[in-house]
Amino acid sequence: MLNTEIRNQIIALVHQEVVPAIGCTEPMCVALCTAKATEQLGCRPERIEARLSANILKNAMSVGIPGTGMIGLPIAIALGALIGKSEYQLEVLKDLTPEALEEGKRFVAEDRIDIKLKEGVCDKLYVEMTVFAGDKKETAIIAGSHTHFVTDASAVQHGATVKDDEIALNMQLVWEFSTTAPLEEIQFIEEARKLNMNAARESLKGNYGHNLGKTIDRPLAKGIFGNSIYSHIISRTASACDARMGGAMIPVMSNSGSGNQGICATNPVCVYAKENENTEEELIRALMLSHLTAIYIKQSLGKLSALCGCVVASIGSSCGITYLMGGDYARICASVKNMIANLTGMICDGAKPSCSLKITSGVSTALLSSLLAMEGKCVSSGEGIVDNSVDKSIRNLTNIGADAMCKTDDMVLNIMTHKEK
């Protein structure tokens, strides 16, 4: 078993990266920053300027804002100023009322909000909100992660954002912690199950996004996919994503700043554990393995990138499912390599209702990778970007996502912002 100091560092990291969120984390991050600037101002702003990194813009353009029936940043910014509380973090708008929504709509209609790309910023996650009232103004800046406020904008602009102190993970460390830590120390991860499986259930009460989760549960889909563990897994995972991207006022447990990643790292593992009749302890350890694997990959990939987050979270859920199947460390590593051989390169083109389609692809691949691993099958180092070392294979994936796909990211944003109206 790992020593107490290392375990405490990992637990602190998980608590930092696995947190509740209402709605897509990018517009909520912008609303949070607006709320903070407004609190500093001490009164209702008359005008608001938003200066955002390209990846924040990309991920906030087409997603529903919870409880509003609207999409995009303007209403999120308006509500952040009017009713947002920074102490709520990524649940910043949970005090929304119908009256506040109407007030927010008027604020947007009065053209009080100016949103532009922030030039010269290296950090992919950068939010700078300036609020004005009379001759007073205040600025708040978030950079590096969705709730990380900074005071020195110049350091961020030169790519020198200081990250919070955190333990550097590797796959062996992730495995050892998840499978040997005292159960009472990691039981808190069950909260992810409660929130994210509840989101899947609540989604069925409305029509959100493309209704992918509901569609998979309908008779026609059952005739294609069957009434199987596979169909249940993709249905429960897609349903939660449908609700979140469709603007439902339902909290989910996020991972590394993404609610969809939290859902994808949680629901497939929970459904498989229930249907496979795994023990409660096995489920808790599988959930920790899934979430911590995603956190580990994100340490080198970054919070936002051109690579779809479902690739990262699905690798986590594949590890969790492989563990629930009885897999040892070698088979966990095989499932990771099988995932990297398959899903690498899936682009992120912003947060939106169709994210549920990508999550379904990720979860399907996770199950396939787990099955292959349990059969002793693993993509070899002679194939593509997979290496003998699982950690090197992960680094190959993140090097592509963080560096090589930057031009892809630019092109995606250019396409999204130059569509015919």
Side-chain angles (χ1 to χ4, degrees), residues 251-305:
V252 302
M253 191 67 81
S254 65
N255 182 297
S256 304
S258 167
N260 281 348
Q261 284 171 199
I263 290 166
C264 196
T266 303
N267 291 23
V269 176
C270 292
V271 175
Y272 185 87
K274 181 180 179 182
E275 305 226 4
N276 195 48
E277 299 184 350
N278 288 98
T279 66
E280 188 73 7
E281 177 175 348
E282 287 169 338
L283 171 59
I284 290 168
R285 294 194 182 282
L287 280 174
M288 182 56 72
L289 178 60
S290 178
H291 278 273
L292 197 54
T293 298
I295 292 168
Y296 163 41
I297 297 171
K298 278 287 185 171
Q299 282 188 326
S300 56
L301 181 63
K303 290 291 189 294
L304 297 176
S305 74

Side-chain angles (χ1 to χ4, degrees), residues 164-320:
D164 296 331
D165 291 336
E166 61 184 39
I167 186 169
L169 299 172
N170 58 61
M171 202 64 220
Q172 179 68 51
L173 186 57
V174 167
W175 165 260
E176 192 171 344
F177 174 81
S178 302
T179 57
T180 67
L183 194 61
E184 62 272 15
E185 291 185 7
I186 62 173
Q187 203 148 11
F188 67 88
I189 201 69
E190 270 196 306
E191 189 64 24
R193 171 178 64 171
K194 292 175 185 175
L195 287 183
N196 294 353
M197 290 301 290
N198 180 66
R201 288 188 292 271
E202 290 296 312
S203 175
L204 302 179
K205 298 178 182 178
N207 290 313
Y208 298 106
H210 298 294
N211 280 326
L212 181 58
K214 277 187 171 182
T215 299
I216 295 165
D217 267 343
R218 288 174 179 153
L220 177 59
K222 280 187 165 58
I224 297 170
F225 297 114
N227 190 18
S228 62
I229 296 177
Y230 169 74
S231 66
H232 298 164
I233 286 175
I234 59 175
S235 171
R236 302 303 177 268
T237 308
S239 290
C241 182
D242 284 335
R244 181 173 173 270
M245 294 288 95
M249 202 70 172
I250 302 170
V252 302
M253 191 67 81
S254 65
N255 182 297
S256 304
S258 167
N260 281 348
Q261 284 171 199
I263 290 166
C264 196
T266 303
N267 291 23
V269 176
C270 292
V271 175
Y272 185 87
K274 181 180 179 182
E275 305 226 4
N276 195 48
E277 299 184 350
N278 288 98
T279 66
E280 188 73 7
E281 177 175 348
E282 287 169 338
L283 171 59
I284 290 168
R285 294 194 182 282
L287 280 174
M288 182 56 72
L289 178 60
S290 178
H291 278 273
L292 197 54
T293 298
I295 292 168
Y296 163 41
I297 297 171
K298 278 287 185 171
Q299 282 188 326
S300 56
L301 181 63
K303 290 291 189 294
L304 297 176
S305 74
L307 189 69
C308 178
C310 87
V311 176
V312 175
S314 297
I315 293 174
S317 62
S318 186
C319 291

Side-chain angles (χ1 to χ4, degrees), residues 248-406:
M249 202 70 172
I250 302 170
V252 302
M253 191 67 81
S254 65
N255 182 297
S256 304
S258 167
N260 281 348
Q261 284 171 199
I263 290 166
C264 196
T266 303
N267 291 23
V269 176
C270 292
V271 175
Y272 185 87
K274 181 180 179 182
E275 305 226 4
N276 195 48
E277 299 184 350
N278 288 98
T279 66
E280 188 73 7
E281 177 175 348
E282 287 169 338
L283 171 59
I284 290 168
R285 294 194 182 282
L287 280 174
M288 182 56 72
L289 178 60
S290 178
H291 278 273
L292 197 54
T293 298
I295 292 168
Y296 163 41
I297 297 171
K298 278 287 185 171
Q299 282 188 326
S300 56
L301 181 63
K303 290 291 189 294
L304 297 176
S305 74
L307 189 69
C308 178
C310 87
V311 176
V312 175
S314 297
I315 293 174
S317 62
S318 186
C319 291
I321 290 169
T322 303
Y323 172 77
L324 293 172
M325 288 177 172
D328 56 8
Y329 179 64
R331 283 176 169 76
I332 297 298
C333 292
S335 68
V336 172
K337 292 179 184 180
N338 292 340
M339 289 292 294
I340 291 171
N342 191 333
L343 273 192
T344 298
M346 182 183 286
I347 65 166
C348 170
D349 54 345
K352 59 210 174 302
S354 60
C355 284
S356 59
L357 292 165
K358 292 187 176 184
I359 276 187
T360 299
S361 296
V363 173
S364 300
T365 304
L367 288 164
L368 180 61
S369 297
S370 296
L371 285 170
L372 281 173
M374 292 305 294
E375 290 288 328
K377 304 295 184 185
C378 178
V379 174
S380 72
S381 61
E383 302 175 67
I385 67 168
V386 172
D387 195 278
N388 280 326
S389 160
V390 67
D391 295 297
K392 185 65 167 65
S393 297
I394 288 171
R395 199 69 77 249
N396 292 343
L397 167 73
T398 59
N399 284 342
I400 289 170
D403 300 325
M405 292 178 70
C406 286

Side-chain angles (χ1 to χ4, degrees), residues 79 82-83 95-106:
L79 293 174
L82 297 173
I83 56 102
D95 287 344
L96 179 64
T97 63
E99 294 75 22
L101 176 57
E102 290 309 309
E103 190 179 357
K105 288 178 179 178
R106 286 193 294 273

